[in-house]
């Protein structure tokens, strides 16, 4: 038996219905903030990603050569593509640009629960606004999207400047390592690393910084850095809007393009792969040949959100099974068509089953049986049976439609 590729999934209709319902809630929420949907190619030129992140990133991507010998890759994320698209198409548009996407991404990672090789991101990019208000808006959009699907999660907001300021004297080659240790809260690793580069005295201030509960404490440690006003502005708006978050100046984020504000979200009920949200400020447009457009965005790990939400009950529209005696198949299609025209889900018998077998099947799969026997066909009626209560009555098709619609969703 052939199997699907490692790290990918198949989705059955019930699961797809849940995914689509969550996606619809997120689309509705993001639309209320004025964001419009964009779509970029599933594959891109490899250099779109290596330009910023270096050749090493290839190990985590699906890289291939096309038939003309071009180096291509399946997109591992969408931010770089959206920045490229902005440079290609969006420069003359009125700013700020409020864009969102729902797109599958591909990463060559070791699969486990919540970590896949094909996964979906619901993301937002706000391009051309450089302010505390823009940063706060992006954080609040993310929060609104996750709350709109009922996710229980923790929001953590930070800013890179205090950390970068403290480590500005560290050998640039080691700065990334120091930031990675702080991000992972690996304090032993941090200590060792700082000792290696002769900066052991930084340990206390860095550990203090990542433990700060509010921005004022952070500025006591790192001093009045130029970004202070911006940082305070963001938190003032979040507080004013009653957003539930914690301050975390230890967030460094794995991707290497962030420049200022950074934020992450963690679902409560997931294991190791509990990060459902990541984002922040970046400036990629210049690298791709455009202006130095200030940008801010995030991506929600849609699959992890779905794992966290679990198999919640779906609001289902009633299903009508149109049952017919042999020879009345055409009439059954006609009744089903009338039902569908009224917006009802109607299914006809396709397997030539007898009436008894049709009823047994309907009892498992439908809410109503709409029975079409010889008598009904002659009288221009149907017998509508409520498969939950067992009640049934002969009536005109219009009345049956009204009956099904009147009861509404179960
Ligand atoms: P990221 O943190 O790499 O950021 O990914 C965002 C989210 O995608 C993660 O928080 C996680 O929920 C989900 N995710 C990542 N890898 C996997 C995987 N292998 N399987 C399932 N889910 C996964 C970005 O991609 C940035 N482009 C976000 C951004 C947008 N920054 C600014 N704008």
């Amino acid at each position: 038996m052939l199997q699907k590729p490692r790290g990918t999934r198949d989705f059955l209709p019930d699961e797809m219905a849940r995914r689509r319902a969550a996606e619809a809630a997120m689309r509705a929420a993001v639309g209320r903030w004025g964001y419009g949907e964009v779509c970029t190619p599933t594959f891109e030129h490899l250099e779109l990603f290596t330009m910023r992140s270096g050749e090493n990133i290839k190990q985590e991507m699906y890289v291939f050569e096309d038939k003309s010998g071009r180096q291509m890759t399946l997109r591992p994320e969408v931010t770089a593509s959206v920045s490229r698209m902005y440079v290609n198409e969006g420069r003359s548009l009125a700013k700020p640009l409020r864009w969102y996407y729902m797109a599958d991404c591909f990463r060559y990672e070791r699969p486990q629960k919540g970590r896949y090789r094909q996964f979906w991101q619901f993301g937002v990019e706000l391009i051309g606004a450089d302010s505390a208000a823009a940063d706060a808006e992006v954080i609040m959009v993310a929060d609104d999207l996750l709350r709109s699907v009922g996710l229980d999660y923790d929001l953590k907001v930070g800013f890179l400047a205090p950390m970068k300021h403290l480590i500005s004297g560290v050998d640039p080659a080691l700065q990334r390592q120091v930031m990675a240790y702080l991000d992972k809260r690996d304090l032993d690793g941090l200590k060792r690393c700082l000792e290696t580069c002769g900066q052991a005295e930084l340990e206390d201030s860095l550990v203090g910084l990542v433990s700060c509960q509010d921005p004022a404490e952070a500025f006591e440690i790192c001093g009045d850095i130029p970004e202070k006003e911006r940082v305070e502005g963001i938190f003032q708006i979040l507080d004013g809007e009653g957003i539930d978050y914690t301050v975390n100046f230890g967030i460094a984020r794995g991707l290497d393009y962030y420049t200022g504000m950074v934020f992450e979200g963690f679902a409560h009920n997931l294991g190791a792969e509990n990060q459902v949200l990541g984002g922040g400020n970046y400036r990629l447009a210049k690298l791709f040949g455009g202006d130095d457009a200030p940008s801010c965005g995030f991506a929600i790990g849609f699959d992890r959100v779905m794992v966290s939400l679990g198999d919640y009950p779906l609001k289902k529209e009633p299903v009508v099974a149109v049952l017919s005696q042999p020879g009345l198949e055409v009439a059954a299609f006609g009744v089903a068509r009338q039902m569908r025209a009224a917006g009802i889900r109607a299914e006809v018998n396709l397997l030539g089953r007898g009436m008894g077998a049709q009823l047994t099947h309907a009892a498992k799969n439908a809410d109503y049986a709409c029975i079409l026997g010889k008598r009904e066909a002659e009288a221009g009626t149907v017998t509508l049976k409520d498969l939950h209560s067992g009640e049934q009555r002969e009536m005109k098709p219009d009345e049956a439609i009204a009956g099904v619609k009147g009861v509404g969703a179960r």
Side-chain angles (χ1 to χ4, degrees), residues 29 73 85-86 138 151 156 161 183 201 280 290 325 355 385 388 391:
T73 181
M85 177 183 173
Y86 162 71
V138 167
L151 193 87
K156 299 188 179 175
D183 195 52
E201 73 283 357
Q325 276 182 354
M355 195 56 96
K385 178 172 178 139
H388 299 283
E391 276 170 41

Side-chain angles (χ1 to χ4, degrees), residues 77 79 107 109 114 116 121 125 253 257-258 275 297-298 301:
E77 54 111 37
T79 308
R107 294 187 189 178
E109 301 195 276
Y116 312 101
Q121 286 190 345
E125 312 295 349
R253 305 272 302 127
Y257 48 65
Y258 294 103
Q275 191 178 325
F298 65 83

